[in-house]
Amino acid sequence: MAPLAVAPGVTHWPGYLDAAEQVSLVDELREIARQAPFFTPRMPKTGKPFSVKMTNCGALGWVSDESGYRYQPDHPETGAPWPAMPARLLRAWEELAAYPHPPQACLINFYEPTARMGLHQDRDEQDFSAPVLSLSLGDTAVFRIGGTVRGGRTISLKLASGDALAFGGEARLAYHGIDRILAGSSSLLPQAGRINLTLRRVTKPSG
Ligand code: SIN
Ligand code: FE2
């Protein structure tokens, strides 16, 4: 399907992954989660747990705990390096990111039907010239995105299983979050819930 221009810098590709690609990606993610189990991130300082569970694949993974948000090359609980990024994710980046260097991190979020994510900016990367590319699997989410200042106007759109969304350029630091998950809207996953993959470039490419 043709991409939809949601707002300047925000592009939505409904149904980017077909049904068979979604199934095989879930299989690959199951193997990744065996090697790098989902963990519950905690808020900096307060240690309050997030409602989403996370893991990562790729050279770097995003983690959050009492000492802050950061990228690191190893799992915070097992100490093992993150598993490699599946080829289909690297291809999604090549096809959609319009950025000449590969992604370094893929954050894997699992949302139970009651989980949500408050409005925030993705700003722990050194390179904001690459977009953030997100892929959705499982139950549909109500996603919200606004401008680069907190408290401004926002719009919401539904992200269904197989959808891709990129925010870059003037939207790279846009506030965004997940209002809610529409439990039972997809039968891709064995349980209700949603997986979101966010691919990111972390460091500035050298040379
Ligand atoms: C995120 O901002 O990390 C996740 C967004 C999403 O779940 O679509
Ligand atoms: Fe984010």
Side-chain angles (χ1 to χ4, degrees), residues 6-138:
V6 173
V10 185
T11 310
H12 181 196
W13 292 266
Y16 168 71
L17 296 168
D18 69 24
E21 290 173 322
Q22 293 174 44
V23 168
S24 55
L25 199 46
V26 170
D27 282 345
E28 290 184 276
L29 293 173
R30 199 169 284 127
E31 182 53 36
I32 286 170
R34 251 195 290 276
Q35 295 170 34
F38 279 92
F39 59 92
T40 300
R42 302 181 302 277
M43 290 298 288
K45 298 198 183 86
T46 65
K48 187 175 177 285
F50 283 44
S51 62
V52 299
K53 293 187 173 51
M54 294 180 174
T55 188
N56 289 273
C57 58
L60 292 170
W62 189 86
V63 301
S64 180
D65 61 19
E66 286 76 355
S67 41
Y69 306 129
R70 63 193 177 275
Y71 283 94
Q72 63 183 45
D74 46 22
H75 190 287
E77 291 171 359
T78 70
W82 302 108
M85 251 188 250
R88 185 66 185 86
L89 297 184
L90 297 172
R91 180 151 74 86
W93 180 271
E94 280 167 21
E95 290 178 348
L96 306 180
Y99 182 79
H101 304 280
Q104 293 166 302
C106 174
L107 174 64
I108 304 167
N109 287 154
F110 179 72
Y111 295 77
E112 306 269 359
T114 53
R116 53 185 296 284
M117 188 171 295
L119 287 174
H120 66 277
Q121 293 173 296
D122 286 8
R123 49 183 293 170
D124 300 318
E125 300 75 29
Q126 293 155 24
D127 187 3
F128 295 140
S129 61
V132 174
L133 177 64
S134 126
L135 295 170
S136 294
L137 294 167

